[in-house]
Amino acid sequence: MTPLADKIRPTTLDEIVGQPHLLAPGKPLRRILERGQVTNMIFYGPSGVGKTTLARIIASNSNMTLYKLNGTSASVGDIKEIIAQTGTLAGCNGILLYLDEIQYLNKKQQQSLLEYIENGSLTLIASTTENPYFAVFNAIISRSTVFEFKPVTAKELEPAVERAFRLMGQELGADCQPEDGVVSYIASGCGGDVRKAVNTVELSVLASETRDGVMPVTLETVQQLTQRSNMRYDRDGDQHYDLLSALQKSIRGSDENAALHYTARLLEVGDLLSLVRRILVIAAEDVGLAYPQAMPIVKACVDAALQLGLPEARIPIAEAVILLATAPKSNSAYLAIDAAAADLQRGTTCEIPRQLQNKHFDGADAKVRGQHYLYPHDYPNHWVKQQYLPDELKDRVYYQFGQNKQEQAARAYKELIQKK
């Protein structure tokens, strides 16, 4: 049985759902396609947003011989078999290779295409759900144009969901009547994935009862079928790092509600380890010396969460996230250690001052004999002026006191003991 998602697949550019930044009238990709110019392209974006559909439309409107491969199953032999058609009667108008999931091809497999892409005997349209600048061989990218596809908005999806209900009703010979709220629920709950939305429609209809030629589809039925199935997440992909990035930036921006949203999404997919590691980093990097107590508190929350496990772990994690989001912020320590490291990366590795070295005898050629270390505890306020940085860096300042109560108090204390 052909899935509904394939039956409803668009056949023209105007039928494609979403991607107005690429396919709206006047947009560059739309103009290229309307002129019949098929060039090497890489379509990048999440699943179910129209990459394969657009590639099929391009192929059907070209005069080239179309071949299709999937990176999950294609071999070097498959690629060579297609390449062998270049220069033959079958490839006289050019060969268009649609390569889905190119990220699964290894470097050697991707390299085997280069010569033919270069001389124009083969035109490549590839799609990938992973960032092509990490997943695709650089030489392929340099010979192609990358177009990024975005998740489809709920508003853009609703007409496709309604059309899917109508088509299912026609196939089953019944009047499909989704209850109020069903269409919007499916459209907003599929994570921007058109295929997932259409598949949800198909399942909802098949799970509904027909009465006197009418098939009501209830919201309760849809909710039962979609429970925990609409979360878009790949632990090794862009979505994983995007969620962690959004969490950290929300906490850094002191938005506790956004931080809780991204925390809930990570907990919902069970990614507790990535979450606890990131909030420990945030405590040090973004809250830092403005509230040093944040680190031991967050560490205690993390330890409790790991001991409890999910679902109870969500409670101490939420406490840690709220604490970090509402705490004063300072990145002074982060900037200071990076500034010190920058000197080392420039090759500035200097001799440790003699007074700081471990006690040992001076060589016969030493200009100054003896360590001459001044023990700070022997002086008032436990401080004495003394050079600690190497000679070449003696005036270097890495740490700047942050403009917050904690660090300004430390600054005032330092100034006080040095003045006395």
Side-chain angles (χ1 to χ4, degrees):
M1 179 179 174
T2 304
L4 180 61
D6 281 340
K7 295 175 184 175
I8 204 173
R9 192 183 293 275
T11 56
T12 68
L13 294 179
D14 290 327
E15 291 178 355
I16 292 179
V17 175
Q19 315 313 324
H21 64 293
L22 297 177
L23 300 175
K27 294 298 180 180
L29 179 57
R30 175 88 178 221
R31 287 179 177 172
I32 291 170
L33 300 180
E34 287 176 342
R35 286 176 180 151
Q37 300 294 320
V38 183
T39 59
N40 299 311
M41 293 181 273
I42 297 175
F43 295 161
Y44 158 52
S47 301
V49 295
K51 302 187 301 296
T52 301
T53 296
L54 180 57
R56 288 185 177 184
I57 292 172
I58 293 170
S60 66
N61 292 333
S62 74
N63 293 320
M64 293 185 284
T65 303
L66 173 66
Y67 291 92
K68 300 176 186 176
L69 288 178
N70 190 294
T72 59
S73 57
S75 64
V76 172
D78 295 327
I79 295 172
K80 287 182 176 178
E81 192 175 319
I82 293 171
I83 288 172
Q85 302 302 314
T86 60
T88 66
L89 185 61
C92 61
N93 291 322
I95 289 176
L96 177 62
L97 171 60
Y98 173 56
L99 182 52
D100 197 13
E101 305 290 359
I102 188 175
Q103 74 270 17
Y104 291 108
L105 293 187
N106 60 38
K107 187 174 180 179
K108 183 179 178 182
Q109 289 173 311
Q110 294 184 33
Q111 282 177 317
S112 64
L113 297 168
L114 283 177
E115 177 186 345
Y116 303 92
I117 293 173
E118 190 87 62
N119 63 28
S121 56
L122 184 149
T123 300
L124 174 70
I125 298 180
S127 69
T128 175
T129 56
E130 296 182 17
N131 191 326
Y133 297 101
F134 297 129
V136 180
F137 186 41
N138 283 339
I140 295 282
I141 290 180
S142 70
R143 291 160 176 81
S144 309
T145 303
V146 176
F147 294 99
E148 183 177 359
F149 285 61
K150 300 182 182 299
V152 181
T153 67
K155 187 175 181 180
E156 292 168 337
L157 251 175
E158 285 188 8
V161 172
E162 292 169 348
R163 182 173 167 229
F165 273 118
R166 286 196 299 272
L167 183 58
M168 280 298 294
Q170 291 169 8
E171 289 201 346
L172 297 174
D175 180 13
C176 245
Q177 294 183 357
E179 190 176 271
D180 285 347
V182 165
V183 171
S184 61
Y185 180 86
I186 294 174
S188 61
C190 68
D193 187 329
V194 181
R195 186 186 302 112
K196 187 177 288 186
V198 173
N199 288 342
T200 300
V201 170
E202 186 172 26
L203 285 172
S204 301
V205 171
L206 294 175
S208 300
E209 251 184 286
T210 305
R211 299 170 189 163
D212 300 324
V214 176
M215 182 181 289
V217 179
T218 66
L219 185 58
E220 182 183 2
T221 298
V222 174
Q223 289 172 336
Q224 288 174 350
L225 291 170
T226 59
Q227 188 177 16
R228 295 185 63 85
S229 70
N230 290 326
M231 183 71 67
R232 185 193 291 282
Y233 188 74
D234 179 356
R235 199 174 292 244
D236 298 318
D238 288 346
Q239 186 70 8
H240 167 79
Y241 297 104
D242 286 346
L243 273 177
L244 292 172
S245 175
L247 170 65
Q248 183 161 7
K249 288 170 181 171
S250 298
I251 292 176
R252 184 182 296 151
S254 299
D255 188 331
E256 67 276 12
N257 296 305
L260 286 167
H261 168 76
Y262 297 116
T263 298
R265 288 174 65 168
L266 286 159
L267 290 172
E268 189 71 12
V269 294
D271 197 355
L272 181 60
L273 291 179
S274 296
L275 177 56
V276 298
R277 180 185 177 278
R278 183 56 64 106
I279 62 175
L280 284 169
V281 169
I282 294 167
E285 180 181 343
D286 295 303
V287 174
L289 295 173
Y291 184 49
Q293 298 93 326
M295 178 58 79
I297 294 172
V298 170
K299 179 63 167 62
C301 289
V302 164
D303 290 345
L306 293 176
Q307 283 189 317
L308 289 169
L310 290 170
E312 288 84 358
R314 74 191 190 284
I315 304 167
I317 290 299
E319 291 176 2
V321 166
I322 294 169
L323 173 75
L324 292 172
T326 57
K329 307 295 189 296
S330 173
N331 67 341
S332 58
Y334 167 80
L335 295 175
I337 191 62
D338 277 4
D343 270 341
L344 300 179
Q345 290 160 7
R346 285 192 290 266
T348 312
T349 305
C350 313
E351 186 177 348
I352 296 172
R354 178 69 184 92
Q355 67 269 21
L356 300 186
Q357 295 172 7
N358 192 31
K359 288 184 179 181
H360 51 74
F361 291 105
D362 297 303
D365 58 344
K367 294 179 181 179
V368 179
R369 303 180 69 81
Q371 190 174 26
H372 305 293
Y373 170 62
L374 303 178
Y375 187 56
H377 295 302
D378 289 341
Y379 295 86
N381 301 305
H382 304 271
W383 182 83
V384 62
K385 188 171 183 179
Q386 183 170 217
Q387 181 182 325
Y388 293 96
L389 277 168
D391 289 342
E392 296 87 339
L393 299 172
K394 66 179 183 178
D395 296 321
R396 194 73 94 237
V397 176
Y398 296 123
Y399 172 63
Q400 301 287 345
F401 289 92
Q403 296 300 314
N404 57 77
K405 183 178 179 180
Q406 185 78 30
E407 289 180 85
Q408 286 303 305
R411 177 179 183 173
Y413 172 74
K414 180 178 181 180
E415 290 175 349
L416 176 66
I417 62 172
Q418 291 181 357
K419 185 183 295 184
K420 286 185 178 179

